[in-house]
Amino acid sequence: QKEVEQNSGPLSVPEGAIASLNCTYSDRGSQSFFWYRQYSGKSPELIMFIYSNGDKEDGRFTAQLNKASQYVSLLIRDSQPSDSATYLCAGGGSNYKLTFGKGTLLTVNP
Amino acid sequence: KAGVTQTPRYLIKTRGQQVTLSCSPISGHRSVSWYQQTPGQGLQFLFEYFSETQRNKGNFPGRFSGRQFSNSRSEMNVSTLELGDSALYLCASSFQGATEAFFGQGTRLTVV
């Protein structure tokens, strides 16, 4: 069973802090990785994607990928209460599907 | 640019009935994937269609089926509904499967 595992959480950080979300995957054939944000009662929203080893930055978000360690992470700098949501990590490969982790609930406290 | 549109948003059905859900992808996207989301299991892959062809299917019983039309719109059907089918059904569209995928608002199905 090819899986994506996320740190279970929940994760609570104060406003302005860095939130670190982690994910490991078992399928070495996975080529692309995605982070989705899902607010309660809403559908997942794509916030970052990364295909190559290293870091990718977009505003307050940085995605990191280490294929050798099969590890993906998302850093949220200057966390805001509006960042409070469940964050889903997903991996994609040649089988045309995304495999999702169970998600990490992040709460940013004012 | 319009996003992914799913209809209906909410459904209440009785055990044993069947249901059809619809998904219109983002214009230009030819891949449509369907996922079931429940609190216990998270997001589970149902199937993926590209140019009217099913390219992958998840580990769900045959009661779950789908199709895609020539305009890339997709439908999924669940027959002989069971209580355990109650879930949020999400459709995602992308240029190619397993690339950047954008979700619709989902259909919340409740089976009573």
Side-chain angles (χ1 to χ4, degrees):
Chain A
Q1 182 81 352
K2 296 172 181 174
E3 295 182 341
V4 173
E5 302 279 347
Q6 295 187 239
N7 47 339
S8 56
L11 178 65
S12 180
V13 301
E15 184 174 354
I18 296 175
S20 177
L21 302 160
N22 304 311
C23 172
T24 58
Y25 61 95
S26 61
D27 182 9
R28 286 199 173 272
S30 296
Q31 299 156 4
S32 51
F33 300 89
F34 307 89
W35 284 98
Y36 286 84
R37 176 176 63 199
Q38 187 173 26
Y39 293 114
S40 181
K42 301 294 186 182
S43 62
E45 173 192 8
L46 179 65
I47 55 172
M48 289 289 286
F49 58 90
I50 187 166
Y51 294 116
S52 303
N53 276 330
D55 295 358
K56 179 181 179 182
E57 187 174 317
D58 183 3
R60 296 185 296 111
F61 299 97
T62 299
Q64 299 173 317
L65 172 61
N66 183 325
K67 291 188 177 181
S69 300
Q70 296 178 249
Y71 177 86
V72 191
S73 66
L74 179 70
L75 298 177
I76 306 174
R77 290 182 300 281
D78 189 23
S79 295
Q80 300 297 308
S82 59
D83 295 326
S84 298
T86 295
Y87 288 80
L88 300 162
C89 171
S94 58
N95 57 2
Y96 312 115
K97 75 173 195 179
L98 297 180
T99 301
F100 284 84
K102 294 277 178 76
T104 300
L105 177 61
L106 170 67
T107 301
V108 181
N109 302 301
Chain B
K1 191 174 184 180
V4 181
T5 303
Q6 289 188 247
T7 57
R9 292 289 310 280
Y10 302 93
L11 269 177
I12 300 176
K13 290 287 189 178
T14 304
R15 273 180 302 174
Q17 287 186 312
Q18 74 164 14
V19 66
T20 300
L21 312 181
S22 179
C23 173
S24 293
I26 292 170
S27 178
H29 284 187
R30 295 165 66 188
S31 171
V32 173
S33 300
W34 289 89
Y35 293 84
Q36 181 195 67
Q37 188 174 35
T38 58
Q41 296 299 316
L43 271 157
Q44 300 289 309
F45 172 79
L46 282 156
F47 23 67
E48 189 263 358
Y49 288 89
F50 183 87
S51 293
E52 302 179 69
T53 299
Q54 184 185 89
R55 298 193 297 185
N56 199 354
K57 187 178 193 303
N59 188 25
F60 279 83
R63 300 184 297 107
F64 291 81
S65 62
R67 59 178 175 169
Q68 187 181 36
F69 302 95
S70 59
N71 61 358
S72 295
R73 190 177 71 86
S74 178
E75 290 181 346
M76 68 163 282
N77 183 275
V78 188
S79 62
T80 320
L81 284 165
E82 300 177 359
L83 295 178
D85 297 333
S86 296
L88 179 65
Y89 289 88
L90 291 159
C91 161
S93 82
S94 64
F95 284 112
Q96 278 277 5
T99 56
E100 299 94 272
F102 300 89
F103 284 90
Q105 293 175 296
T107 295
R108 173 75 62 184
L109 172 64
T110 302
V111 182
V112 297

